[in-house]
Amino acid sequence: MNENVWSGAWVAERLGVRIVGEGLPGLVGMAVRRNPRRAHLLVSTVLGKHVPTDPRVVYGAGIRLGGLVRARLDGDDAIVLGYAETATALGHSVADALAGAYYLHSTRRPVPGFTPYGAFEEEHSHATSHLMLPADPAMLDRDVPLVLVDDELSTGRTVLNTIEALHAVRPRGHYVVAALVDLRGEADWARMRELEARLGARIETVALAAGRVELPDDILDAGRALVDELEQHGGQAVPGESHPVMRADLMWPEDLPDGGRHGFLPEHRARLEKELPAMAERVADLVEGRRVLVLGFEELMYAPLRLAEALADALPDVDVRYSTTTRSPVLAVDEPGYAIRTRLVFPAHDDPADGPGDRYAYNVAGGGFDAIVLMVDDAGDTEALSGGLLERLAQLAPVVLAAVPSYRGEPAP
C-alpha cells in the first residue's frame, strides 16, 4: 500500500469533497460509505480504528489531546467520557494525561444488572444509541469538570445531545469537548453557544487540528451512485491458506477492568501500567516475523492499544501495528489515495443487542503481517468468533488469540 499518496485523494477527486485546514490531511483520509445522511467517511490516520498504525503514534495523539484539555482545567480531577465505538481508547488516553481523572465510555452493549445512567443519540451514525453503565453512578455526580472525547467533531450535535442529557441529571458549570479534528461551521458554533447560555455553563473545545469539509450540493446522490459502482468490484479480501491459531494467557487480573465500559479509576491505570510489560512478554514469546498486528475488538480498544505499545517496547526490531474491528460498514477500494484498501467481513461474535450482523476489519488483508494478535473480551470469545473472524485472520497469518475477562465486579446498589 502506497503511503506516500494522501489517503483522501481518490474520494476528493470523484466526489468533489475538499478538506480545508492546516494539518488536517496529516490526520485524516477519506472513504465512501452507504449512508443516507453522509456519503463520505473521514478516516483517522492516528486513531488505530480503520488503519493499522504504530501504537505509539495512536497513544501519543491521545496524550497530546489530553495536554490541551489539561490547559483548560484547574487541576487533573475530572470526569472523562469517551464515545463508543471509535473513541473509547482515545478517551482513555486523554484521561491518562489527567492523572487523577475518572474515565467512562459509552457503550452499545447492554449488560445485565446495570441500569443506564443516561442515553443519547448519534444522529449521523449507522448505530445511534449510546448507553452509559457506570458501576458507581456517584462517580458521575461529583462537582468536577466533564470532558467529552470524540475522534471527530463534524457538527457537534452528538456532544451537545450528551451535555444536555447529562446536565438534566446532574448540572455542572464546566464542560470541555476534545477531538482529534474539529470541522464545525459557524452554525454549529452558534448552536453550542446557545446551549451554553441556556444551561448557564461554560463549554470549551480543544482539537489537534481544525478546519472544514466542503461538500458539493449533489454529494448524497453522487455518493449513492459511486457506492453502486464500487459494490460491483469492492476490495473484499480473497481467502488464502490456513495458518495456526494459538492462545496466549495474559494473566489479566480478574479485578482489573478491561476498559472503561463501567468506569476506570486512577488506581486501575496504575495497576495496568505495572502489569503490561509481563503481558507483552507472554505474547512476544508466541509471535515471529518482522511485522505484527495487534487487533482489538470494537469497543475494546484501549487494552489492545496499550498491549501493542508494550509489545513494541519488548520487540524493538519488529514493526508492531494496531487497529480494531468495527461495526461500521465502509466500502473498500484497492486504489492509492483511498483510505480503506481491503476489508474482512465476518459475523458478530458477542451476542450484540442489535442482533446478528456483519462486522469488519479494514486494511488487515494486504498489510503484509507475519503474525496477528487478536484481543477480545470473554463476551466475544465465542463459537461465532472461531468460525468467523479467527478463520478469516488465519487465512492471512498465524494468529495469537488473547482473551481478557469482561468486567467481573458488581454494579453499585
Side-chain angles (χ1 to χ4, degrees):
M1 298 181 184
N2 189 346
E3 298 181 355
N4 295 321
V5 179
W6 177 51
S7 60
W10 197 91
V11 174
E13 178 182 345
R14 284 158 180 79
L15 291 183
V17 180
R18 292 185 66 236
I19 292 181
V20 180
E22 185 177 353
L24 281 176
L27 292 176
V28 296
M30 285 193 290
V32 179
R33 62 181 175 182
R34 181 180 289 281
N35 186 310
R37 299 181 184 91
R38 189 178 295 176
H40 70 287
L41 174 71
L42 295 183
V43 179
S44 173
T45 60
V46 298
L47 188 65
K49 171 55 78 171
H50 303 87
V51 180
T53 307
D54 185 329
R56 291 160 293 199
V57 170
V58 176
Y59 191 57
I63 294 296
R64 282 193 292 132
L65 185 60
L68 297 179
V69 171
R70 189 191 305 111
R72 303 300 180 98
L73 304 177
D74 293 331
D76 283 344
D77 191 9
I79 297 165
V80 180
L81 174 66
Y83 286 92
E85 66 179 47
T86 55
T88 59
L90 180 63
H92 254 295
S93 305
V94 168
D96 284 358
L98 310 171
Y102 167 79
Y103 179 64
L104 180 76
H105 70 70
S106 66
T107 181
R108 295 188 174 111
R109 180 196 289 177
V111 180
F114 287 85
T115 301
Y117 183 93
F120 51 92
E121 297 296 312
E122 187 176 5
E123 297 176 4
H124 65 267
S125 175
H126 63 283
T128 60
S129 295
H130 290 252
L131 301 170
M132 287 187 295
L133 305 176
D136 184 3
M139 293 300 298
L140 294 177
D141 289 334
R142 295 175 299 128
D143 187 17
V144 297
L146 178 64
V147 180
L148 302 100
V149 183
D150 210 349
D151 57 310
E152 167 200 333
L153 291 177
S154 52
T155 66
R157 289 183 183 274
T158 298
V159 293
L160 296 187
N161 288 345
T162 310
I163 290 172
E164 191 157 20
L166 295 183
H167 198 86
V169 177
R170 204 290 180 200
R172 68 189 69 240
H174 190 193
Y175 298 89
V176 179
V177 178
L180 293 174
V181 296
D182 186 347
L183 304 170
R184 291 172 300 161
E186 293 183 5
D188 304 316
W189 280 89
R191 193 180 300 111
M192 187 183 77
R193 295 304 174 212
E194 186 276 330
L195 179 64
E196 188 178 41
R198 180 155 49 87
L199 299 182
R202 179 160 47 114
I203 304 175
E204 299 184 275
T205 60
V206 296
L208 296 187
R212 66 184 187 276
V213 177
E214 296 181 350
L215 305 173
D217 293 338
D218 64 345
I219 180 67
L220 292 179
D221 290 338
R224 280 191 290 268
L226 186 56
V227 166
D228 291 339
E229 174 190 342
L230 296 178
E231 284 185 333
Q232 298 177 24
H233 48 81
Q236 171 64 28
V238 178
E241 62 177 306
S242 183
H243 297 273
V245 175
M246 300 165 281
R247 280 187 176 266
D249 183 0
L250 297 180
M251 299 182 67
W252 187 280
E254 290 283 339
D255 58 347
L256 178 63
D258 59 306
R261 181 177 286 112
H262 304 301
F264 204 84
L265 298 165
E267 50 263 39
H268 295 143
R269 193 171 298 120
R271 178 81 180 279
L272 178 60
E273 296 279 356
K274 180 180 178 181
E275 299 284 349
L276 274 170
M279 293 182 186
E281 289 292 345
R282 295 180 188 111
V283 172
D285 289 341
L286 298 175
V287 297
E288 296 180 355
R290 305 289 297 177
R291 188 171 167 86
V292 175
L293 172 68
V294 177
L295 183 66
F297 158 51
E298 296 188 24
E299 294 175 10
L300 184 70
M301 295 184 67
Y302 179 72
L305 170 61
R306 300 308 308 279
L307 179 67
E309 186 185 36
L311 187 62
D313 291 338
L315 300 172
D317 296 327
V318 175
D319 181 8
V320 177
R321 297 295 171 119
Y322 156 81
S323 64
T324 74
T325 66
T326 178
R327 295 181 174 204
S328 178
V330 187
L331 294 171
V333 182
D334 192 14
E335 291 283 350
Y338 189 84
I340 305 297
R341 302 290 292 274
T342 65
R343 72 176 185 177
L344 298 177
V345 183
F346 54 93
H349 53 89
D350 65 336
D351 192 24
D354 54 357
D358 287 340
R359 301 293 187 261
Y360 310 91
Y362 297 112
N363 293 321
V364 175
F369 297 109
D370 300 307
I372 299 171
V373 179
L374 173 63
M375 194 170 184
V376 301
D377 60 19
D378 56 13
D381 188 10
T382 61
E383 290 185 11
L385 173 67
S386 298
L389 176 58
L390 269 182
E391 185 177 280
R392 298 308 309 277
L393 294 177
Q395 293 168 346
L396 303 174
V399 180
V400 175
L401 175 62
V404 299
S406 298
Y407 183 80
R408 299 296 191 186
E410 294 296 330

